[in-house]
Amino acid sequence: MYKKRLYAPGPTEVPPEVLLELARPVTHHRTAEFRSLLGEVTELLKYVFQTSRDVYTITGSGSAAMEASVVNVVGAGEKMLAVVGGKFGERWSELGKAVGAEVITMDVPWGTAADPQQIADALKKHPDIVAVYVTHSETSTATAIDLKAIAGIVGKTPAVLVADCITSIGALEMRMDDWGVDIPVTGSQKALMLPPGLAMLACSEKAATKIAKTKNTSYYLKIPAYAKNLAKGDTPYTPANTLILALKTALGMIRAQGLESIWAETSLRARAMREAAQALSLTVYSRNPSDSVTAICVPDGVDGEALPKKLAKDYGLRIAGGQSQLKGKIVRFSHMGYVDNFDTLAQVAGLEMALRDLGAKVEIGRGVAAAQKVLAGA
Ligand SMILES: *Cc1c(COP(=O)(O)O)cnc(C)c1O
């Protein structure tokens, strides 16, 4: 018998303290208690976003915040730049088309990071671009971009920078105010140690100014309604208040450990996983790997779709395979949220065992030893 372990890059495992909050009786949201709770959660979110601006919490999965950051910012017929290097980057371009924007798509080879200079060139070529959409950590390819450098470039132009930080906030360094990221968006079920159901975003003054000027066709996702209500401690519609209660506990844990420490630990675990892959003569897919998720290429001769299934069925280890063009070609392991160094060792051990079961030549323990040396600082 194996314990069930959730190592997919979302949803991720939820700590017992947070699960217990989810078991509490449902409360009413138009109360002083809820307003005080939302106030506390918003302050904690500001810390996690590294901003002094308000952070809005929307009931919905991460894509709700993505949609809000498009429909409120780009009017029909306006030009936006979508940087696309994977499944989630594609979503920016699809959302832009859905709101009737003129979408300029910058295709980046999957598994590589967008070149900030290329973004600068695109902005020079199209000075009427009103917003630039990037993916800080592209979960489908396990690739990170240099968001700080990109923010430095976009910040010198009138364009608003929107970043999908769904697998970066709470795992990788992301500093909204210092770097000048105008709208970072995230969701509850990746690095924030919660079940799916909440989406969050914040808007810089530059972003808020653009939003105020944009003809907004949405109703549920209208950001000014969230802003107006939050000023009174409220949400415009019934919030997922049980999740918000649990969010307070999860963010409290993040605050207690400190973001810098979490970023460093996440980075160490990702490095351990990459060194394990190297020791096993496996290839890390990304040329610029994100530390929140690692994608490893399935070796020749191994059924790449059978590998995650085998890990789940025989070893209780739920990871993710590849999507779209990467289907059957990679396996992805999360380093986000409620994980520790022993989870990394379990990931490597499981990978070795399942690969061997599927006929690959694997020296059992070789990857584990390499990972353990990194984790132990040996
Ligand atoms: C998970 C994820 C999303 C999608 O979020 P949903 O919660 O499924 O709507 C978007 N972008 C990235 C980078 C993600 O990892």
Side-chain angles (χ1 to χ4, degrees):
M1 205 275 272
Y2 284 93
K3 290 208 278 195
K4 282 201 178 3
R5 292 174 158 91
L6 184 55
Y7 294 149
T12 61
E13 281 185 14
V14 176
E17 310 73 318
V18 177
L19 290 173
L20 284 171
E21 293 300 324
L22 294 168
R24 288 185 186 277
V26 175
T27 55
H28 201 273
H29 54 289
R30 302 300 181 204
T31 57
E33 289 77 16
F34 178 77
R35 288 186 191 104
S36 142
L37 168 68
L38 187 63
E40 283 179 72
V41 164
T42 304
E43 284 309 309
L44 288 164
L45 280 170
K46 287 182 184 181
Y47 167 68
V48 173
F49 276 60
Q50 292 285 289
T51 186
S52 62
R53 306 282 301 173
D54 272 339
V55 181
Y56 310 120
T57 301
I58 302 171
T59 302
S61 78
S63 300
M66 291 177 76
E67 182 156 355
S69 74
V70 177
V71 71
N72 286 272
V73 173
V74 188
E78 285 190 316
K79 230 182 238 182
M80 63 172 259
L81 178 68
V83 179
V84 179
K87 274 298 277 180
F88 294 109
E90 281 172 1
R91 192 161 299 174
W92 283 135
S93 153
E94 288 162 10
L95 281 165
K97 285 171 194 151
V99 304
E102 189 185 323
V103 182
I104 299 169
T105 300
M106 177 184 293
D107 280 307
V108 177
W110 283 34
T112 69
D115 175 5
Q117 190 51 47
Q118 239 183 312
I119 294 175
D121 294 344
L123 285 166
K124 211 168 273 165
K125 190 167 164 211
H126 304 276
D128 51 345
I129 285 175
V130 300
V132 175
Y133 291 82
V134 297
T135 313
H136 188 192
S137 166
E138 173 54 77
T139 318
S140 66
T141 65
T143 300
I145 57 168
D146 188 347
L147 182 59
K148 186 182 180 183
I150 293 169
I153 285 165
V154 180
K156 294 198 192 83
T157 75
V160 167
L161 175 64
V162 183
D164 175 346
C165 296
I166 296 180
T167 54
S168 71
I169 285 181
L172 314 183
E173 183 176 12
M174 202 295 292
R175 300 179 188 273
M176 175 177 168
D177 290 0
D178 285 359
W179 293 1
V181 181
D182 294 303
I183 308 185
V185 308
T186 196
S188 55
Q189 80 275 24
K190 307 282 174 82
L192 300 185
M193 305 190 290
L194 231 64
L198 293 178
M200 306 88 171
L201 83 168
C203 301
S204 68
E205 205 175 317
K206 183 183 185 184
T209 305
K210 175 68 179 91
I211 289 168
K213 283 194 301 200
T214 304
K215 187 174 175 312
N216 192 316
T217 52
S218 76
Y219 184 89
Y220 187 74
L221 295 175
K222 202 169 268 197
I223 290 175
Y226 286 86
K228 196 172 133 219
N229 278 272
L230 188 61
K232 299 175 289 173
D234 282 322
T235 54
Y237 317 107
T238 307
N241 55 0
T242 307
L243 283 173
I244 291 176
L245 183 67
L247 180 60
K248 184 179 127 180
T249 300
L251 295 178
M253 291 168 72
I254 291 174
R255 172 93 237 200
Q257 183 178 348
L259 280 174
E260 278 84 0
S261 158
I262 292 172
W263 297 336
E265 284 189 352
T266 308
S267 165
L268 185 73
R269 287 173 197 136
R271 187 155 70 77
M273 189 83 198
R274 294 194 291 264
E275 298 223 353
Q278 200 186 9
L280 292 166
S281 304
L282 298 170
T283 310
V284 170
Y285 174 73
S286 178
R287 226 66 65 72
N288 197 46
S290 169
D291 286 336
S292 59
V293 49
T294 298
I296 294 175
C297 298
V298 177
D300 287 342
V302 172
D303 180 342
E305 286 185 59
L307 183 55
K309 284 189 193 133
K310 177 141 210 87
L311 275 164
K313 192 166 156 279
D314 293 355
Y315 299 111
L317 230 131
R318 172 67 63 188
I319 63 157
Q323 299 163 285
S324 297
Q325 65 198 69
L326 292 177
K327 204 173 162 73
K329 301 215 168 84
I330 57 167
V331 281
R332 292 175 297 148
F333 296 86
S334 165
H335 313 297
M336 290 175 282
Y338 188 55
V339 285
D340 68 12
N341 290 352
F342 291 107
D343 288 306
T344 310
L345 295 177
Q347 293 173 345
V348 177
L351 178 63
E352 290 180 347
M353 286 156 81
L355 277 174
R356 186 161 167 264
D357 293 345
L358 291 172
K361 263 220 203 88
V362 174
E363 187 190 320
I364 290 292
R366 202 184 162 96
V368 173
Q372 197 172 10
K373 274 187 192 137
V374 172
L375 296 170

